[in-house]
Amino acid sequence: QVQLVESGGGSVQAGGSLRLSCAAYGYFYTHYCVAWFRQAPGMEREGVALLIDHSTDYADSVKGRFTISQHDTKSIVYLQMNSLKPQDTAMYYCAAAPICYGLGTGAGYHYWGQGTQVTVSS
């Protein structure tokens, strides 16, 4: 069983930065696809970034501002968020699966963390 635990959320002003972490516990296949999703109140969940092996993909809304990366041990995936905007405010979740299901709404991803709140004020 894989358990994912997010951390690093918080409140920042527009233009600021945060780094989210997603730690994996239990058996975690190093070639898993790991993705970050976010959901704002009243909005549909949306994919933000994904990483599989050394390949990445980003939602258009965060390209050039967010970077997904993996710790050398492969057990932690980071989401570096720069130039944050108020519209980035949401609960952020990491998810994992043996294969990638893209940056849709998260359907197909087997494992999910509990989420970490990001609030960006103007």
Side-chain angles (χ1 to χ4, degrees), residues 1-7 20-36 69-71 73-78 94-97 111-114:
Q1 184 71 18
V2 174
Q3 183 181 10
L4 303 177
V5 179
E6 302 98 333
S7 61
L20 306 183
S21 298
C22 173
Y25 299 92
Y27 179 77
F28 192 76
Y29 184 50
T30 56
H31 296 292
Y32 266 42
C33 180
V34 181
W36 284 96
S69 62
Q70 193 168 37
H71 190 271
T73 62
K74 309 288 186 184
S75 62
I76 304 176
V77 173
Y78 302 107
C94 66
Y111 306 107
W112 291 84
Q114 82 289 349

Side-chain angles (χ1 to χ4, degrees), residues 35-80:
W36 284 96
F37 293 84
R38 66 186 181 186
Q39 188 167 22
M43 303 292 287
E44 193 174 46
R45 185 171 58 197
E46 62 173 348
V48 173
L50 67 80
L51 170 70
I52 181 165
D53 292 332
H54 298 290
S55 296
T56 59
D57 193 16
Y58 297 92
D60 288 343
S61 59
V62 305
K63 279 181 181 176
R65 300 189 298 122
F66 290 12
T67 303
I68 188 170
S69 62
Q70 193 168 37
H71 190 271
D72 290 344
T73 62
K74 309 288 186 184
S75 62
I76 304 176
V77 173
Y78 302 107
L79 184 68
Q80 177 67 42

